[in-house]
Amino acid sequence: MSTSSGTTQGDKYRSYLDGEEEKNTKWRFGAAPNYDVVNKLFEEGGTKTWPPGSLEEKVQNLVKSWEMEVFHKASLDDFKTLDPNKYTFSLNGRKPLTLEEIATKLGGGYNPLLQTSLPKKFRGYDPDEDNAESSHKAFITTFPRGFALEVLQVYSGPPVIVYKFRHWGFMEGPFKGHAPTGEMVEFYGMAIFELDEHSKIVKVEFFYDRGELLGCLLKGATSDVSKTEIPSTSSCPFLKNTG
């Protein structure tokens, strides 16, 4: 998940975010994202410190760069971690989806990562009702310090990368009418990234229980805070620079 908050002037963990090669990049929310806050969360709450240049560090940085691109770059021409003509994504063994299918069938944003076959009344978060912008607003409001990612173990290296990961953050804002708890929210999962001969990602598979995330977000008391009362990205500097 890519809720972010690293500097756009030389982020330590993400490539293709700034510099001369990104001067014409089209950013989905108007400007390049800023990851300073979530980088701090990562550095303070991470459980692994990988040696510089190690396979684990390279995989971790690749995943962070991939997340940044798929959530924040508006034009496929600007993608550098993946090949948009070959790329597919699947969750928990579902049918792989192309980038076009993700945008047209699922609405983009967090929806591909939160697909579910649950009946609507049990979903907590319903991908059928949110799009890229509304899901972005919902999660950065819930996690104002971001939702950090660390790679816990790499089981195989390129061209087929298999790794175990941890995501975590603190629920310090409301979520879908539920009051913030202030508690740490975390979940674990596995992923497979397949790279082609040019080291571009062409296939991504994730395996995890979305209930481990949503269950924690639905613990707070229901409130009168409407999910529609979140400021638009055009009027809120915070939303412009994080994600």
Side-chain angles (χ1 to χ4, degrees):
M1 316 277 287
S2 96
T3 332
S4 65
S5 304
T7 171
T8 58
Q9 299 299 318
D11 190 273
K12 291 185 288 185
Y13 308 111
R14 295 164 186 84
S15 302
Y16 316 123
L17 177 58
D18 52 39
E20 187 69 18
E21 63 181 355
E22 301 301 329
K23 68 178 182 178
N24 296 317
T25 296
K26 298 179 180 66
W27 297 102
R28 187 179 304 278
F29 301 106
N34 182 288
Y35 287 89
D36 284 339
V37 176
V38 78
N39 283 351
K40 186 173 186 290
L41 178 67
F42 165 73
E43 290 163 2
E44 293 177 347
T47 63
K48 298 288 186 180
T49 302
W50 299 117
S54 65
L55 174 62
E56 291 84 0
E57 185 203 44
K58 290 178 180 178
V59 169
Q60 185 167 262
N61 291 352
L62 172 64
V63 176
K64 289 176 186 283
S65 299
W66 164 82
E67 280 193 338
M68 177 274 297
E69 289 201 314
V70 297
F71 277 92
H72 289 281
K73 291 188 175 180
S75 172
L76 299 184
D77 293 335
D78 294 326
F79 283 36
K80 298 178 179 68
T81 61
L82 60 85
D83 184 334
N85 297 312
K86 301 177 186 176
Y87 178 85
T88 63
F89 173 92
S90 70
L91 176 68
N92 294 335
R94 287 177 171 81
K95 179 182 179 244
L97 298 171
T98 64
L99 287 170
E100 181 180 2
E101 289 172 324
I102 289 171
T104 58
K105 293 183 178 180
L106 297 179
Y110 291 92
N111 289 349
L113 295 161
L114 293 170
Q115 297 174 73
T116 181
S117 56
L118 285 170
K120 280 186 174 290
K121 64 180 179 179
F122 297 123
R123 290 185 177 184
Y125 174 92
D126 189 350
D128 295 339
E129 297 179 357
D130 277 283
N131 56 32
E133 183 168 328
S134 65
S135 67
H136 176 77
K137 291 178 184 177
F139 281 99
I140 65 172
T141 299
T142 302
F143 296 114
R145 285 192 279 164
F147 203 52
L149 164 77
E150 67 174 340
V151 166
L152 299 175
Q153 188 167 354
V154 177
Y155 299 96
S156 67
V160 180
I161 302 168
V162 181
Y163 67 94
K164 179 182 179 181
F165 66 88
R166 171 185 173 241
H167 257 304
W168 78 98
F170 290 86
M171 188 191 180
E172 295 165 327
F175 180 78
K176 301 291 184 181
H178 290 266
T181 64
E183 296 178 358
M184 185 172 73
V185 176
E186 65 181 340
F187 73 92
Y188 297 80
M190 300 282 295
I192 304 171
F193 277 41
E194 185 174 329
L195 279 55
D196 66 9
E197 65 274 17
H198 305 294
S199 297
K200 302 289 187 182
I201 301 167
V202 293
K203 184 178 181 181
V204 168
E205 298 179 79
F206 274 98
F207 300 88
Y208 55 83
D209 180 1
R210 74 176 217 141
E212 293 296 310
L213 166 65
L214 295 176
C216 294
L217 301 183
L218 302 176
K219 285 169 59 177
T222 55
S223 68
D224 294 329
V225 177
S226 169
K227 65 182 178 182
T228 62
E229 292 177 352
I230 303 166
S232 70
T233 53
S234 61
S235 63
C236 179
F238 178 77
L239 296 186
K240 285 182 180 180
N241 296 309
T242 65

